[in-house]
Amino acid sequence: MTTATDILNRYEPRRRPFEIGFWLLYYLANAAANSLTVLQDVERRSLDVAPWEAITWETSSALAALILTLPILWLTARFPLDWRRWRSLLLIHVAGTVVYTLVHVCLMVGLREAVYATMGTNYNFGPWPRELAYEYLKDARSYLGLVLMIEGYRFVLRRLRGRASTRPVSAPSAFWSRC
C-alpha cells in the first residue's frame, strides 16, 4: 500500500520542475483557449481584426500574469490564509488585487505595443480609467483564484507531510462571532 509519505518522497525531488511546468502549462493553455475564443468572436462579429492581434492580446495577458505569479507566491507564503487574521489579510489581498491589476495592465500593454510596433502599426489600449476598471473586474477574480489555488496546493502538501489539520483554524461559529 502506498502511503502519503511514499508519495511525498517520490514527489519532493521533482517538486520544483513540476511547479514550474504547471505554471507554464496553465498559462499556455489559458492563452491558447482564450485566443481561440477571441478569434471565434472576431469571426462571428465580422470585425476587422487580424488573427495575430487576437493572439497577441491573449498571450501578452498570460505572460504578464505568469510573471506576476512569483510575487503572489511570495505574498501568500509571507501572509498565508488564516481565519484568525482575516481582517489584515483582507486588506493585504484587496491591495494585492489593485497592485496586480496595475502591473498586469502595464506589462500587457507594453508587450502589445512592442508586438504592434514590430508589425508596423500602433496599439491603442483605450481610455485608461475605463479600461483599468474593466481589467480590475477580471484581474481581481484571477488574483483571488490564484491565491486559492496556491493555498490549496500548499494545504495538500502540508497534509501529505502530516502538518495540516482537516479542521479549520477557527470553527465557523467562532469566526462569525468575532466579526
Side-chain angles (χ1 to χ4, degrees):
M1 181 173 165
T2 304
T3 66
T5 304
D6 295 333
I7 294 169
L8 190 60
N9 287 337
R10 283 190 299 229
Y11 176 67
E12 279 299 334
R14 299 168 185 89
R15 180 177 169 196
R16 192 64 56 208
F18 171 83
E19 291 170 348
I20 293 168
F22 169 80
W23 290 115
L24 290 173
L25 288 173
Y26 175 77
Y27 286 110
L28 179 64
N30 275 315
N34 290 342
S35 293
L36 289 173
T37 302
V38 171
L39 288 168
Q40 290 172 349
D41 287 342
V42 164
E43 184 179 324
R44 185 177 317 128
R45 292 187 173 104
S46 301
L47 300 175
D48 185 26
V49 174
W52 68 264
E53 291 180 279
I55 294 167
T56 297
W57 301 337
E58 297 307 323
T59 55
S60 63
S61 178
L63 183 56
L66 174 61
I67 291 167
L68 287 169
T69 300
L70 286 173
I72 294 174
L73 287 165
W74 175 85
L75 185 70
T76 56
R78 176 75 176 85
F79 302 102
L81 295 182
D82 182 347
W83 286 115
R84 295 170 293 193
R85 306 180 307 142
W86 75 270
R87 287 181 181 98
S88 61
L89 289 174
L90 179 63
L91 292 174
I92 288 167
H93 288 296
V94 167
T97 63
V98 173
V99 172
Y100 179 88
T101 298
L102 292 172
V103 176
H104 179 251
V105 168
C106 288
L107 284 172
M108 87 179 172
V109 168
L111 290 167
R112 290 173 185 180
E113 287 178 351
V115 171
Y116 273 68
T118 62
M119 298 301 283
T121 187
N122 292 316
Y123 175 72
N124 180 11
F125 181 62
W128 277 82
R130 184 189 74 204
E131 295 303 322
L132 279 174
Y134 170 79
E135 292 295 333
Y136 181 79
L137 292 174
K138 295 188 311 179
D139 286 351
R141 292 178 309 189
S142 295
Y143 176 93
L144 177 62
L146 288 170
V147 168
L148 293 175
M149 188 170 21
I150 291 164
E151 290 286 1
Y153 170 71
R154 289 180 178 152
F155 175 77
V156 168
L157 287 180
R158 286 193 307 273
R159 287 286 294 153
L160 289 172
R161 293 180 182 129
R163 289 191 255 153
S165 170
T166 55
R167 293 177 40 183
V169 173
S170 300
S173 59
F175 167 75
W176 290 112
S177 67
R178 291 187 298 201
C179 294

